[in-house]
Amino acid sequence: MNIVIDGKECRAEHGEYILDVAERNGIHIPALCHSEALPGQGNCRMCIVEIIDNSRRKIVTSCSYPITKEIEVVTCSEKIKKMRKTIMRLISARAPSSDLIKQLSEEYDLPPETKFKIDKEEKCILCGLCVRACGEVGAHAISTVNRGTIKKVSTPFEETPPECIGCGACAYVCPTGAIEIEEHQGKRTIWNKTFELFKCTGCGDYFMTQEQYEYIKNKKGIAIDGLLCDKCRKKSTGEKLKEALCNVVIKGK
Amino acid sequence: MSSGKTQEIFSYTSSILKEYPREQRFLLAILQDIQKQYNYLPREALTIIHEYLDIPMSKLYSMATFYKALSLKPKGKYVIKVCDGTACHIRGSSLIIDEIQKLLNISPGDTTEDGLFSLETVNCLGSCALAPVMVVNGKYFGKVTPKMVKKIIDEFGGQNSEDI
Ligand code: SF4
Ligand code: FES
């Protein structure tokens, strides 16, 4: 089906999220808690847009609104801009210490916050992507703890989590850089836990914790042939493919 | 914690678990039962539940810290709940809370050192006509004035424990 985004006709599949269709068509919608790997989070509210369906209008989060009929979408009317600015202000009051949030606050021309009590050190916007990532990996080492104004992301009993395999997925998906991860001389420290890193046999870069390797091999039962980082694996697969293709060509002669 | 106590928690928790099918949806009910028995959720109990229901510890901890009815810290023998909902607030519940704080030397969320009293604020007890309301272990006191607070606490042995 076709939908109209900011006056542009766009092709969309049934059930696709508005945000994805917009991106594909070169229309940028601001988003914080959107991750390609973990779609539909819908927590930060930055990606709001207005949809018009049979002259009925409503505001939805484009990252989690599935398209089911031919609608019209407006991504940056004055109304949306105003609402987005308010949302940005709340997020900035919540996580003033994050570099990305600081940068966005400037872009949105936010005045210094006077109305809300703020924690100057805070970087987390509580979008929950990290918790979901950890769950998808299967480690379930972190979760949201408490509720209301003291809600945060943490580990059980605020202790070093035995379940953590040091994969860094939480820090990787975090939009605001709120999860501390440090890599130093073949060691990675995250959630107060330090891990030994394995070197890639291709390029020699450190890339994976010992625990992560064991986890993939034993728990997930996925065979890992050779310790190759993503880049080297792609390269090696590419080379194998090339070889195979050459063989076909030679045989063909 | 002594091993005797640990043993006791283990057998009580196991007996509770036997009453429920091994499904995660019963988690809250199980936690409520444990909370009722001990006035808090002992860590040992959580460990057993985590193993029995095969539910991540992080999820258990998340739930245990989410609900006001659940607590990870041991609560006092008597739990004082002061309503600070709109009606009670307008009718001076903060004065009641101040008075209790002064008498027992604890802030909301804390327990006295002798383990006798815990103080909590709640957001509405649904008895707004009696505002301000305070409840001690299920016993309701309505239209409370700061002056009445001492008498109520004495009723539960507050004064004696202070004197000793
Ligand atoms: S730590 Fe990052 S990913 Fe996790 S909830 Fe906070 S902002 Fe989101
Ligand atoms: S990106 Fe849509 S709500 Fe965060």
Side-chain angles (χ1 to χ4, degrees):
Chain A
M1 74 186 92
N2 281 335
I3 64 166
V4 176
I5 307 179
D6 292 345
K8 186 178 173 186
E9 275 290 292
C10 304
R11 181 104 212 109
E13 297 300 323
H14 184 96
E16 253 189 306
Y17 294 133
I18 296 173
L19 184 76
D20 296 328
V21 178
E23 295 278 290
R24 194 168 60 230
N25 285 278
I27 299 164
H28 174 69
I29 300 175
L32 279 172
C33 70
H34 173 70
S35 151
E36 253 169 61
L38 304 163
Q41 190 71 358
N43 261 338
C44 73
R45 320 310 279 183
M46 278 300 279
C47 67
I48 51 163
V49 295
E50 188 164 24
I51 59 169
I52 305 159
D53 169 18
N54 259 333
S55 78
R56 285 176 61 192
R57 296 169 167 259
K58 72 174 173 189
I59 308 283
V60 301
T61 44
S62 60
C63 75
S64 60
Y65 190 88
I67 298 159
T68 54
K69 48 181 147 172
E70 299 191 332
I71 47 169
E72 197 189 328
V73 179
V74 181
T75 74
C76 66
S77 57
E78 281 313 309
K79 182 174 163 193
I80 290 289
K81 274 195 216 156
K82 211 174 141 210
M83 288 175 79
R84 213 175 263 148
K85 188 167 175 176
T86 307
I87 293 169
M88 192 56 229
R89 179 176 164 204
L90 295 172
I91 292 177
S92 145
R94 160 74 205 175
S97 178
S98 157
D99 288 339
L100 175 68
I101 301 299
K102 273 188 213 157
Q103 188 193 322
L104 285 172
S105 307
E106 255 169 54
E107 269 171 40
Y108 279 77
D109 204 16
L110 296 178
E113 190 54 61
T114 50
K115 194 162 180 184
F116 304 113
K117 256 197 227 159
I118 60 170
D119 176 355
K120 288 206 177 84
E121 305 296 311
E122 189 57 71
K123 289 183 178 171
C124 170
I125 59 166
L126 291 173
C127 70
L129 274 179
C130 52
V131 174
R132 218 171 124 202
C134 190
E136 291 287 327
V137 167
H140 296 282
I142 54 173
S143 61
T144 52
V145 172
N146 302 326
R147 69 158 156 185
T149 51
I150 53 168
K151 181 173 172 177
K152 60 177 177 177
V153 170
S154 190
T155 58
F157 305 100
E158 324 285 321
E159 290 170 1
T160 305
E163 296 88 353
C164 179
I165 55 170
C167 69
C170 53
Y172 180 77
V173 292
C174 177
T176 62
I179 295 177
E180 269 172 53
I181 180 165
E182 230 173 74
E183 260 169 50
H184 191 62
Q185 293 181 332
K187 287 196 171 78
R188 176 185 293 165
T189 306
I190 187 164
W191 293 111
N192 246 330
K193 202 170 171 180
T194 303
F195 300 86
E196 296 278 338
L197 290 169
F198 278 153
K199 264 186 190 163
C200 167
T201 45
C203 61
D205 282 351
Y206 289 111
F207 78 110
M208 185 193 258
T209 68
Q210 218 161 324
E211 285 77 357
Q212 209 178 338
Y213 177 78
E214 306 277 316
Y215 182 81
I216 298 171
K217 210 175 72 181
N218 301 335
K219 278 248 173 92
K220 297 267 166 184
I222 301 168
I224 307 179
D225 49 11
L227 273 170
L228 289 178
C229 70
D230 271 354
K231 262 193 226 143
C232 293
R233 180 166 316 117
K234 273 187 202 139
K235 213 165 105 196
S236 118
T237 319
E239 265 154 26
K240 275 188 203 147
L241 254 176
K242 211 158 93 193
E243 219 170 274
L245 279 175
C246 282
N247 281 340
V248 172
V249 173
I250 293 165
K251 271 189 200 141
K253 270 186 184 169
Chain B
M1 196 170 287
S2 71
S3 67
K5 179 87 179 148
T6 307
Q7 202 54 47
E8 195 274 319
I9 293 171
F10 184 82
S11 44
Y12 183 77
T13 310
S14 307
S15 73
I16 291 290
L17 288 174
K18 269 197 211 102
E19 285 170 34
Y20 293 95
R22 212 167 179 158
E23 288 168 39
Q24 295 194 358
R25 65 195 166 104
F26 295 106
L27 177 59
L28 186 55
I30 295 170
L31 292 179
Q32 278 176 316
D33 285 354
I34 306 285
Q35 173 81 35
K36 204 166 169 194
Q37 173 77 2
Y38 296 106
N39 262 334
Y40 80 112
L41 301 171
R43 189 163 173 172
E44 291 87 341
L46 292 184
T47 310
I48 302 165
I49 299 167
H50 150 71
E51 280 162 14
Y52 182 79
L53 291 182
D54 194 22
I55 187 169
M57 199 46 147
S58 56
K59 274 201 188 158
L60 269 179
Y61 189 71
S62 181
M63 199 170 208
T65 54
F66 183 85
Y67 292 103
K68 258 210 163 165
L70 304 174
S71 151
L72 289 166
K73 274 193 275 172
K75 284 205 182 158
K77 189 169 164 209
Y78 301 109
V79 180
I80 305 172
K81 290 184 183 159
V82 184
C83 183
D84 201 16
T86 314
C88 289
H89 189 82
I90 288 173
R91 291 189 153 262
S93 58
S94 42
L95 298 177
I96 310 291
I97 298 167
D98 286 349
E99 187 65 22
I100 301 172
Q101 274 183 296
K102 217 162 62 198
L103 282 171
L104 295 177
N105 216 353
I106 50 170
S107 311
D110 291 346
T111 302
T112 52
E113 258 172 45
D114 59 8
L116 210 50
F117 290 102
S118 292
L119 176 59
E120 279 171 19
T121 60
V122 287
N123 285 331
C124 185
L125 290 163
S127 1
C128 307
L130 296 175
V133 182
M134 80 184 250
V135 185
V136 185
N137 278 20
K139 189 168 175 194
Y140 277 67
F141 299 88
K143 306 208 160 121
V144 183
T145 59
K147 264 195 198 145
M148 286 161 69
V149 170
K150 190 163 178 298
K151 244 176 96 191
I152 295 172
I153 289 177
D154 285 352
E155 199 178 303
F156 295 92
Q159 190 55 41
N160 299 347
S161 70
E162 290 267 32
D163 281 350
I164 293 167

